[in-house]
Amino acid sequence: MTMFVALDPNGRLITIENAHRGISCNCTCVSCGEPVMARKGLIREHHFAHVSQKKSCYIQRESLLHLYAKEVICDGLGMQLPHLPGIYPNSEDTSSWWDFETVTPEVRQQGFQPDLVAELKDGSRLFIEIAVTSFIDEVKLERIQAAGTPTIELDLSDLLQSSQPIPSESSKSYILHQPHHKSWIYPEAPTIAQAFEMQMPDPRSVVDLHPPRTTPALQEQRFVIMQMWVSARTLPSGSVAVRSWSFNPQITELLKTWRNQFGGEYNPRYKNWIYYPNSREEILARLQALDQN
Ligand SMILES: [Zn+2]
């Protein structure tokens, strides 16, 4: 496999176009670490080659992406993140930019090692997990919960499937600025009941004034789509949570397409897709239209 990417003397990914010609590029192989030279002749496509003449290493897009995501977050010292679970800001913004003071790769924690640890201005920390093909499992989730440190997971599987070059400005922007592929692993999203309580008025102000409010809006609607049960629940925030009760790749693909179209997020903990209030009616109408009941 032709090598178009290498590590520069500072250990950063560099493409062949940006490398100095020959051995003076001072680059090393991403895969084996051996010195490479930049072959930029007139005949063959420009590429890197091991100085030792051994044959090219196979550089997996998956590991390249993992490495690159860490690099851009360390350099970017910040990221656009969805709101913390349970926080429903009044504005239409569904995400905000978080500034980091420092970002350190692979600092070992109690029983696990997050990909990156960011330190915030207030001294608190954020764990960052970069998932390309493997995601946080139950054991790691338990350790993250025990650590009690806010943890965000980036799902870069779409970037893995895409043909966007790595490194590139477009993939960098996707990693840093797109909130939709990021989900909070800790703190967890509140349950429907907890979310409802958060929206209830302060009990001291309503004592003996009103009977408990009923919640028709929280009622679940059920649909049968492609022979599967799909439910939709309107949350107190006005967002709608949609989940398929059994795994079906076509339904997952459909819900994902809607998420890309209207915005929203996937909540891995509850395996549901959240669509924001401004698209709720459209989402419910689409589910209704597909309903085979
Ligand atoms: Zn190599």
Side-chain angles (χ1 to χ4, degrees), residues 225-243:
I225 297 171
M226 299 177 210
Q227 275 85 49
M228 299 283 176
W229 279 111
V230 175
S231 71
R233 204 182 262 270
T234 300
L235 303 176
S237 60
S239 293
V240 61
V242 179
R243 86 171 270 197

Side-chain angles (χ1 to χ4, degrees), residues 82 151-154 179-185 265-268:
T151 304
I152 192 93
E153 183 176 63
L154 279 66
H180 78 251
H181 58 73
K182 298 166 183 145
S183 16
W184 287 101
I185 300 300
E265 59 203 304
Y266 179 66
N267 183 332

Side-chain angles (χ1 to χ4, degrees), residues 29-69:
C29 174
V30 176
S31 178
C32 70
E34 273 192 22
V36 292
M37 63 175 107
R39 287 222 167 113
K40 301 175 88 160
L42 293 174
I43 301 163
R44 279 191 62 189
E45 193 177 7
H46 295 177
H47 64 282
F48 289 102
H50 295 110
V51 173
S52 68
Q53 308 278 340
K54 82 168 184 185
K55 76 177 183 56
S56 294
C57 284
Y58 177 68
I59 303 166
Q60 279 190 318
R61 186 169 167 86
E62 181 187 344
S63 32
L64 196 59
L65 189 51
H66 203 263
L67 202 60
Y68 186 55

Side-chain angles (χ1 to χ4, degrees), residues 202-265:
D202 183 338
R204 285 164 300 184
S205 65
V206 292
V207 164
D208 297 331
L209 289 178
H210 304 291
R213 203 163 51 162
T214 53
T215 56
L218 277 181
Q219 266 173 15
E220 187 181 79
Q221 285 176 264
R222 285 202 166 191
F223 308 91
V224 177
I225 297 171
M226 299 177 210
Q227 275 85 49
M228 299 283 176
W229 279 111
V230 175
S231 71
R233 204 182 262 270
T234 300
L235 303 176
S237 60
S239 293
V240 61
V242 179
R243 86 171 270 197
S244 170
W245 288 87
S246 341
F247 177 72
N248 175 309
Q250 283 167 293
I251 294 180
T252 302
E253 201 45 50
L254 181 72
L255 297 177
K256 192 173 181 178
T257 308
W258 293 355
R259 190 268 324 264
N260 293 345
Q261 194 177 352
F262 296 109
E265 59 203 304

Side-chain angles (χ1 to χ4, degrees), residues 23 84 105 250:
I23 293 178
L84 279 162
Q250 283 167 293

